[in-house]
Amino acid sequence: MDFTYIAAFVWLMMFSPAFGSTIPNSTNPNQAEACVNGGAISLTFDFYLSSCPEAEAIVFAWVEKAVSDDPRMAASLLRLHFHDCFVNGCDASVLLDDTASMAGEKSAAPNANSLRGFEVIDAIKAEVEYFCPQTVSCADILAIAARDAVVLSGGPAWEVEMGRKDSVIASKAAANNNIPSPNSDLPTLLSKFQALGLSLQDLLALSGAHTMGKARCSTFSARLNGGGPDINLEFLQSLQQLCATNTTLADLDRATPSTFDNRYFTNILSGEGLLPSDQALVGGVDEARALVHSYALDARVFFRDFAKSMIVMGGLQSPAAGEIRRNCRAVNQVLP
């Protein structure tokens, strides 16, 4: 595998006009600090420059293969990063398997039989460990893979801040409580984002991740029952027909389901938001509706804000002590 070529390719894409004219950085262009529950940790853009220069190229190569084999995997890898960061920060706790003494996050209601892509992360980690043993965290791999999944689907690029540690614990209860429900209204969504220090603009921009991927019919049953005064009736009928067996997956964006674009915002303006939480974004808050309109009108504005918000969300960290896991599914064994 020619990592030099892949790394150069990633770098060129990051500065290509096709992915936006500006890559947003934090206030300090080389370092950012973010916290969850008062803790702080420094992240940098060039964290592995000396210790594992191959890291980003390895991640990109595996994500490229995974998305080529299954375009839906792009949304799945992006979602893994989201669901990780919303539970005690971006610490790869979502990747931990259950143990005799710990119920992991994989079995939480928002994740069970829903999250995908664990095998892709396993493959990336195995190769990274071969080149750079116990150097690159699983949490950083999730953050890089999310960025690459967006880029490979036609979306914006951004520099990923790195230096995260992997959690030694997971919390099923926190996953159940912190991850927004697909039936959430706007005040509930905003309260969950604000609890992490994320703004209304972050909420709107990051919701645009639903421009690709699929959802189970059970997650939008309220829409199927005619919920919402602004639902498009033709759209409702198509969903009812699709979900007649209640086992079918529906595209979050039926127009361009595998492309990262701004169609999601066009959809919700026309009453075609798949999830109740999608359609809730245009329900009564002027600032939220204005952002939806701006993103629907100009993909470049959406791309810019999405990339910026991904950096902010990716900076969320737990103050708890962490490690660099050798296996993303389990904490390192304590040697006698």
Side-chain angles (χ1 to χ4, degrees):
M1 184 177 296
D2 187 345
F3 293 122
T4 302
Y5 169 76
I6 295 171
F9 182 56
V10 174
W11 183 255
L12 285 171
M13 285 198 301
M14 290 175 67
F15 288 95
S16 169
F19 302 106
S21 59
T22 302
I23 296 178
N25 292 335
S26 54
T27 303
N28 182 330
N30 296 312
Q31 179 173 308
E33 288 189 352
C35 64
V36 173
N37 300 328
I41 188 171
S42 294
L43 302 177
T44 62
F45 294 120
D46 55 358
F47 190 81
Y48 299 112
L49 185 63
S50 299
S51 60
C52 191
E54 306 93 342
E56 288 193 73
I58 292 171
V59 176
F60 181 82
W62 277 104
V63 174
E64 182 180 43
K65 180 181 185 306
V67 173
S68 176
D69 292 343
D70 175 10
R72 183 186 166 203
M73 188 55 68
S76 298
L77 292 172
L78 181 58
R79 189 164 179 252
L80 271 180
H81 183 47
F82 269 76
H83 283 220
D84 180 38
C85 293
F86 267 76
V87 182
N88 297 324
C90 312
D91 60 2
S93 59
V94 73
L95 302 178
L96 288 171
D97 288 338
D98 291 358
T99 68
S101 60
M102 182 192 74
E105 295 163 26
K106 291 178 180 177
S107 57
N111 299 334
N113 303 312
S114 175
L115 286 185
R116 306 167 69 242
F118 297 109
E119 295 79 8
V120 177
I121 302 301
D122 290 340
I124 294 170
K125 180 60 172 174
E127 187 157 350
V128 169
E129 283 294 300
Y130 175 82
F131 282 93
C132 314
Q134 214 162 347
T135 300
V136 181
S137 68
C138 300
D140 281 344
I141 289 174
L142 282 176
I144 299 166
R147 187 271 311 278
D148 293 348
V150 170
V151 169
L152 287 163
S153 302
W158 59 94
E159 289 185 80
V160 176
E161 295 174 331
M162 291 171 273
R164 300 167 184 81
K165 292 295 182 66
D166 298 323
S167 173
V168 296
I169 58 170
S171 176
K172 180 177 180 178
N176 280 325
N177 292 330
N178 297 358
I179 297 172
S181 161
N183 293 304
S184 298
D185 58 18
L186 183 56
T188 301
L189 290 170
L190 186 56
S191 69
K192 289 185 180 292
F193 274 69
Q194 289 179 333
L196 298 177
L198 300 173
S199 67
L200 176 65
Q201 181 169 304
D202 292 323
L203 165 60
L204 269 293
L206 293 174
S207 294
H210 283 176
T211 191
M212 58 182 186
K214 296 178 181 289
R216 291 174 294 175
C217 290
S218 58
T219 63
F220 53 89
S221 58
R223 298 288 273 166
L224 294 174
N225 296 328
D230 54 356
I231 193 167
N232 179 300
L233 292 180
E234 184 274 330
F235 179 62
L236 171 62
Q237 292 170 355
S238 70
L239 291 181
Q240 290 172 334
Q241 182 177 2
L242 177 68
C243 296
T245 63
N246 205 38
T247 59
T248 307
L249 289 169
D251 292 319
L252 286 162
D253 171 12
R254 60 177 177 171
T256 54
S258 299
T259 302
F260 194 97
D261 56 23
N262 64 335
R263 284 298 297 264
Y264 167 81
F265 299 101
T266 304
N267 292 342
I268 60 178
L269 286 174
S270 62
E272 296 183 19
L274 184 68
L275 305 179
S277 58
D278 295 327
Q279 203 60 50
L281 300 181
V282 291
V285 176
D286 290 342
E287 185 180 353
R289 181 179 285 273
L291 282 168
V292 171
H293 275 283
S294 69
Y295 294 156
L297 288 171
D298 193 338
R300 293 172 299 177
V301 175
F302 165 48
F303 281 16
R304 179 201 65 201
D305 287 357
F306 180 84
K308 179 181 177 182
S309 293
M310 286 295 290
I311 293 174
V312 174
M313 184 187 75
L316 298 174
Q317 288 293 301
S318 169
E323 64 181 10
I324 306 297
R325 288 187 220 138
R326 290 185 289 268
N327 175 354
C328 290
R329 294 176 180 261
V331 300
N332 298 333
Q333 296 296 315
V334 178
L335 299 176

